Amino acid sequence: MTEVSRLRRPSSPDAATLPDSDDLLLEILLRLQPLPSSLPRASLVCKRWHRLVSDPGFLRRFRAHHRPPPVLGFFTSLEGEFVPTLDPPNRIPAARLTLPPHPAHVSLFIGCRNDVALLISLDLKQIIVWNLVTAHQCGVPYPSLHPLIGAVVRSARYDGQSSLCPFKLVFLCADNVHGRFVRLYESQSGAWGSMIPTTVEIFDVFLMAANVLVGNALCCLLRSGSILKVDLDTQNVAVIEKPVGITSDHLLLQYSFQILQTEGNGLGLAVVSAHNKVQLWERNTSSDGDERWFLQKTIRLDMLLSLEPSMGREVPMIVGFAEDANVIYVSTYDGLFSIELRSMEFRKISENSMRTYCYPFASFVAADGAIGGA
């Protein structure tokens, strides 16, 4: 027998020392891009892959691994029409997320957060809480005769798959007896809390303005550029004035300001100034112990977006903010743009300008509605 024939093939490693093949595959699948088409496409490879990516435990890990979720598009204010912004195959059909017209009552769309949209039913005098992924809805009685602006906040335990509970509603209200006040609703108790008075004037309320969750405080933009801050823990309400000396060239002042959440989970403010500039401010504690606004950065929109000189043209408007993705939406005479504030990456969303506020929608909704959704 030759030397070659006496050589043996290496022995197979002990099966007990090998990682489970499902575990290995799950780690690979976990790193797929968090786009609407990723998991549906993976599920079509074979039955085994479909079983793995459909498992609720995997879906929870996938969401946790890819925070924040991708921005799929935005809802227009008041009408609540969904406008998808991703390209195929990740484009979610508008009809899938647009609230169908209800013949019995008129509803106004006033915001969304964590897969949940908030509407006011004028005829039913209810606040409608609507899970955009699972399609669950519930109605909450008006907190007062005149609910002005409001927001929904999901529990930190929200896993992206449950229906609605638990959630909180925060509303600025008004009536002829109590003036202006804030009320909080807890879905677990099913009741509105007591009235918390505030000095906000009716004319300063911007009905379409988005709100931003900064830490555990809900911050709502007022028409003047000031901020109504509601601490959800202590239920204290305060009004924070805009930076001193800030002026705007825009006739509609509310479109010159946008509340931000800074990298350190602090309060920020974007302000459109003259000559296509956007100033980014952050509120910090100064050396003397007082909280003040500090200018952090100035963005030249004409240079960043390659805009033509704006002589005689309309001033840019900030029309939306995706709080998890840290993206602002700016409407210019050249169209609608999204700008990621950390990287300064921008994308042209539409050739048309937006003349109203938009509410960006970020979610792990799947393109076919079968994987990662309800």
Side-chain angles (χ1 to χ4, degrees), residues 240-301:
I240 300 173
E241 299 298 329
K242 64 179 180 288
V244 176
I246 287 295
T247 59
S248 173
D249 292 343
H250 209 292
L251 295 177
L252 299 174
L253 289 179
Q254 62 268 27
Y255 291 109
S256 296
F257 303 95
Q258 174 59 57
I259 304 171
L260 307 175
Q261 183 186 72
T262 63
E263 290 188 33
N265 202 25
L267 179 61
L269 189 67
V271 183
V272 176
S273 60
H275 309 298
N276 285 328
K277 294 180 181 179
V278 174
Q279 295 179 336
L280 301 182
W281 294 79
E282 184 174 3
R283 193 164 178 84
N284 281 322
T285 304
S286 62
S287 56
D288 56 11
D290 294 333
E291 283 197 350
R292 295 179 182 173
W293 290 105
F294 295 87
L295 181 61
Q296 301 296 318
K297 185 187 298 184
T298 299
I299 305 171
R300 286 285 305 271
L301 293 178

Side-chain angles (χ1 to χ4, degrees), residues 36 72 82-84 86 89-97 365-368:
L72 307 181
F82 179 69
V83 180
L86 297 182
N90 297 301
R91 193 175 184 86
I92 302 296
R96 181 173 164 193
L97 291 173
V365 172
D368 68 350

Side-chain angles (χ1 to χ4, degrees), residues 74-83 109 354 356-359:
F74 59 83
F75 289 90
T76 58
S77 59
L78 301 183
E79 297 91 353
E81 177 188 1
F82 179 69
V83 180
F109 192 100
M354 282 283 292
T356 186
Y357 210 83
C358 65
Y359 302 98

Side-chain angles (χ1 to χ4, degrees), residues 82-278:
F82 179 69
V83 180
T85 56
L86 297 182
D87 297 324
N90 297 301
R91 193 175 184 86
I92 302 296
R96 181 173 164 193
L97 291 173
T98 298
L99 182 69
H102 196 295
H105 59 88
V106 177
S107 295
L108 302 179
F109 192 100
I110 60 171
C112 59
R113 175 178 285 111
N114 297 133
D115 293 345
V116 174
L118 199 61
L119 303 96
I120 293 181
S121 173
L122 301 179
D123 294 341
L124 299 180
K125 298 192 181 305
Q126 286 186 339
I127 310 300
I128 307 297
V129 184
W130 171 37
N131 190 313
L132 298 163
V133 177
T134 66
H136 286 83
Q137 294 186 28
C138 75
V140 177
Y142 268 15
S144 71
L145 185 61
H146 300 294
L148 300 176
I149 54 177
V152 60
V153 179
R154 295 297 297 264
S155 166
R157 299 192 302 275
Y158 174 59
D159 60 7
Q161 290 180 287
S162 56
S163 54
L164 283 172
C165 294
F167 64 87
K168 293 181 180 179
L169 300 180
V170 184
F171 265 84
L172 173 64
C173 310
D175 64 32
N176 296 329
V177 177
H178 304 97
R180 277 80 58 205
F181 53 91
V182 172
R183 295 191 75 180
L184 277 69
Y185 176 88
E186 297 268 4
S187 65
Q188 290 177 307
S189 65
W192 289 96
S194 57
M195 291 180 284
I196 309 169
T198 178
T199 58
V200 173
E201 298 294 339
I202 293 292
F203 65 82
D204 203 15
V205 175
F206 178 28
L207 297 179
M208 294 180 292
N211 47 77
V212 176
L213 197 60
V214 179
N216 206 37
L218 191 75
C219 299
C220 303
L221 184 68
L222 300 175
R223 194 180 296 273
S224 63
S226 299
I227 297 169
L228 177 68
K229 181 179 179 181
V230 182
D231 191 304
L232 301 180
D233 287 333
T234 63
Q235 298 193 9
N236 288 332
V237 177
V239 175
I240 300 173
E241 299 298 329
K242 64 179 180 288
V244 176
I246 287 295
T247 59
S248 173
D249 292 343
H250 209 292
L251 295 177
L252 299 174
L253 289 179
Q254 62 268 27
Y255 291 109
S256 296
F257 303 95
Q258 174 59 57
I259 304 171
L260 307 175
Q261 183 186 72
T262 63
E263 290 188 33
N265 202 25
L267 179 61
L269 189 67
V271 183
V272 176
S273 60
H275 309 298
N276 285 328
K277 294 180 181 179
V278 174

